[in-house]
Amino acid sequence: MVMRWLWLVGITLLILMALTYVTYAENQSISLKVVNEIPLYGSQVFSLVYNPVNNDVYVILNNDTMLIVSAITNQVINAVNIPISSFLIPEVSIYDPNNSNIYIAASNPYTKVGVIYVFSTSTNTVITTISMNGTILNMVYNPINNYIYVVSPSLNEIIVISGSTNNILVSIPISNPGAILYDQANGSSTWVVQGISRSFPAYQS
């Protein structure tokens, strides 16, 4: 009899916990709301990058403009020109916490040309460019070795760039590379090839 009573109490507690969680989740979803809107006046956003050092968000637009937005006030605090060639389309951008630079990749799917613009968040200027004879689809940063891994589908390669020198270190052949990400648990980069997840150890010089 005692066991049955304990069992009923346990089931009741589980039900109450579940109802409490559902109520909490519903309240959380209800509390979400838009706190601010930033008009872009017809401009198209290609990518967003967050800088944890200055708490700013960098918005790359289609008119070679980068908006710098304060994540504290949600206001545009600056607008700078990114001299992207008119024949290139911005694809993706990443932030390098080691040097506080933003790497903006642009490429042309017809001419198979790609360029990475290295933007300094300290001076708000493009400090150098990295050219390659291939399109750029994705990039990822590895904080362990300070390397940037660039996916080039037209070259069928993963291109490794040093975040210290901004020089290309090596190209890793891979058939039909797609999405790429950094795996913090084992220091490897993982990418998707034709829907199959594959990984390789972080390249070391």
Side-chain angles (χ1 to χ4, degrees):
M1 187 69 177
V2 174
M3 292 298 296
R4 180 179 297 180
W5 182 81
L6 291 175
W7 183 80
L8 290 173
V9 171
I11 293 296
T12 303
L13 288 175
L14 287 176
I15 294 174
L16 289 175
M17 290 173 62
L19 290 174
T20 302
Y21 175 78
V22 170
T23 303
Y24 171 79
E26 289 178 349
N27 290 337
Q28 288 298 103
S29 62
I30 293 174
S31 65
L32 297 177
K33 62 179 181 179
V34 177
V35 295
N36 193 21
E37 294 183 0
I38 302 173
L40 299 177
Y41 304 105
S43 298
Q44 180 181 356
V45 177
F46 282 103
S47 61
L48 298 170
V49 179
Y50 173 70
N51 185 344
V53 175
N54 56 21
N55 203 28
D56 288 342
V57 178
Y58 296 78
V59 185
I60 292 87
L61 304 179
N62 61 331
N63 54 0
D64 301 340
T65 301
M66 173 188 284
L67 297 181
I68 304 177
V69 181
S70 170
I72 299 175
T73 63
N74 292 323
Q75 299 295 322
V76 176
I77 57 178
N78 200 356
V80 296
N81 177 259
I82 305 296
I84 298 177
S85 170
S86 58
F87 299 101
L88 300 176
I89 302 174
E91 301 288 351
V92 65
S93 57
I94 60 171
Y95 172 75
D96 183 345
N98 188 64
N99 53 27
S100 296
N101 290 337
I102 295 176
Y103 293 78
I104 306 166
S107 60
N108 188 315
Y110 302 103
T111 60
K112 309 297 183 184
V113 173
V115 177
I116 297 176
Y117 298 83
V118 184
F119 180 85
S120 170
T121 59
S122 300
T123 62
N124 286 338
T125 58
V126 173
I127 56 177
T128 189
T129 58
I130 307 169
S131 301
M132 55 190 65
N133 295 320
T135 56
I136 301 172
L137 178 62
N138 278 307
M139 297 188 296
V140 71
Y141 173 73
N142 185 335
I144 301 299
N145 53 22
N146 195 30
Y147 291 163
I148 298 159
Y149 296 79
V150 182
V151 176
S152 177
S154 65
L155 293 176
N156 284 317
E157 292 179 344
I158 303 295
I159 301 168
V160 184
I161 297 174
S162 168
S164 301
T165 64
N166 292 320
N167 292 326
I168 295 176
L169 300 176
V170 69
S171 297
I172 305 172
I174 181 71
S175 177
N176 299 321
I180 188 170
L181 59 84
Y182 170 71
D183 185 349
Q184 187 175 359
N186 56 27
S188 296
S189 294
T190 301
W191 69 94
V192 177
V193 182
Q194 294 181 338
I196 303 175
S197 178
R198 301 179 59 181
S199 64
F200 62 92
Y203 170 79
Q204 301 290 343
S205 60

